[in-house]
Amino acid sequence: MNQLKHETSPYLLQHKNNPVNWYAWNNEALSIAKNENKLILVSVGYAACHWCHVMEHESFEDNEVAAIMNQYFVAIKVDREERPDIDQIYMNAAQITSGQGGWPLNVVCLPDGKPIYGATYFPKENWMQFLLHFQNLFVNEYDKVFNQADRISKGLQSIDIIELNPEKVSFTKAHLYEIWNNWQPKLDMEFGGRSGAPKFMMPNNLEFLLRYAYQTNDKECNAYIKTTLKKWHLVACMTYWVVALQDTA
């Protein structure tokens, strides 16, 4: 077992038997990276993510891959549903560097946690090449890697700069109805979430709809919210039992 055996997150516990020496996001992991001068690999996902499970089976359960990760990286697993703050930072970094976002989210960082490059799913062979490429850059072209991380950090800071609208804003219930009418055809009333796949959990969207349903007494929206929450609960229960069965296998 790796360091995730001490966690409570069902997603992190799914990875506790991986040969990768995973850490959770904590001061211990960050200190080890600095003290040993190792690159950090931040891998973010969540329990209901299909491609997260695919990558775990192809790469994180593989001893050859784990040997590379354990030798050259401090590997940190993050549950995006528990730490959306960390997920957002590194998702922004991935979108800046690769132009793509999604889960699993895999970001290579300097020992101080500054991101160098981020991407999503990799097949096994591509993943090993990716890891070795950045380890080679870190050893042989450190200035290049450091400058890249510095540019990304400045880019992340600029993302957080939001200019306030100096004009008076008129916002009425009519705007709420307009948003709902545009949104409603894209929602899955039977199984919850958005129509189609993948069904990424979007709690901010649901929070808006919950407030909309309360303020407007919209029964259709309220029914959709209840359906979605019930399905989320079902997924969480199934994930818990899968982990429990793995422990007894």
Side-chain angles (χ1 to χ4, degrees), residues 1-2 4 14-22 56 60-61 66 77:
M1 288 188 179
N2 53 47
L4 299 184
Q14 285 177 2
H15 293 266
K16 70 178 182 179
N17 291 318
N18 294 166
V20 176
N21 187 26
W22 292 114
E56 179 190 14
F60 302 148
E61 293 178 349
K77 254 296 170 195

Side-chain angles (χ1 to χ4, degrees), residues 116 133 137 141-151:
I116 302 169
H133 170 71
L137 288 179
E141 298 184 57
Y142 179 79
D143 289 344
K144 181 178 180 179
V145 171
F146 178 84
N147 291 334
Q148 167 84 345
D150 188 55
R151 289 194 298 269

Side-chain angles (χ1 to χ4, degrees), residues 7-19:
E7 300 303 312
T8 57
S9 158
Y11 175 68
L12 297 186
L13 289 174
Q14 285 177 2
H15 293 266
K16 70 178 182 179
N17 291 318
N18 294 166

Side-chain angles (χ1 to χ4, degrees), residues 19-51:
V20 176
N21 187 26
W22 292 114
Y23 290 85
W25 181 274
N26 53 43
N27 290 332
E28 178 188 4
L30 299 175
S31 296
I32 290 173
K34 288 184 179 179
N35 293 337
E36 298 184 5
N37 195 33
K38 277 189 172 183
L39 289 172
I40 294 174
L41 175 68
V42 179
S43 182
V44 186
Y46 60 99
C49 170
H50 169 72
W51 288 104

Side-chain angles (χ1 to χ4, degrees), residues 66-231:
I68 295 173
M69 294 176 66
N70 294 339
Q71 181 176 356
Y72 298 122
F73 297 85
V74 173
I76 299 178
K77 254 296 170 195
V78 176
D79 183 344
R80 71 172 294 266
E81 294 177 333
E82 285 196 344
R83 296 302 305 266
D85 53 332
I86 296 173
D87 173 62
Q88 189 61 65
I89 292 171
Y90 288 112
M91 182 63 72
N92 289 342
Q95 291 172 339
I96 289 173
T97 55
S98 67
Q100 297 180 344
W103 299 275
L105 172 65
N106 296 291
V107 184
V108 176
C109 310
L110 290 177
D112 61 3
K114 291 182 180 178
I116 302 169
Y117 190 86
T120 55
Y121 165 79
F122 287 89
K124 174 185 171 180
E125 295 300 325
N126 292 9
W127 178 238
M128 290 193 295
Q129 292 173 7
F130 175 83
L131 297 173
L132 293 173
H133 170 71
F134 280 98
Q135 172 60 18
N136 180 63
L137 288 179
F138 182 60
V139 172
N140 298 311
E141 298 184 57
Y142 179 79
D143 289 344
K144 181 178 180 179
V145 171
F146 178 84
N147 291 334
Q148 167 84 345
D150 188 55
R151 289 194 298 269
I152 294 172
S153 296
K154 291 178 180 178
L156 292 174
Q157 292 172 7
S158 67
I159 290 176
D160 293 332
I161 298 175
I162 302 175
E163 294 184 3
L164 297 178
N165 185 357
E167 300 179 3
K168 185 177 181 180
V169 178
S170 176
F171 191 78
T172 66
K173 278 191 175 182
H175 293 99
L176 295 178
Y177 292 129
E178 182 179 357
I179 294 171
W180 167 248
N181 289 333
N182 290 332
W183 211 337
Q184 190 272 338
K186 303 172 185 176
L187 303 178
D188 188 335
M189 298 296 179
E190 182 178 1
F191 297 105
R194 289 178 61 88
S195 297
K199 287 185 176 293
F200 290 130
M201 296 181 180
M202 305 294 285
N204 289 340
N205 294 355
L206 205 64
E207 183 178 7
F208 166 79
L209 293 175
L210 184 64
R211 296 183 66 176
Y212 167 81
Y214 176 79
Q215 293 176 5
T216 63
N217 196 28
D218 190 307
K219 294 181 179 179
E220 184 179 22
C221 184
N222 191 52
Y224 164 78
I225 293 168
K226 289 181 178 179
T227 297
T228 299
L229 290 176
K230 286 179 180 178
K231 298 298 183 182

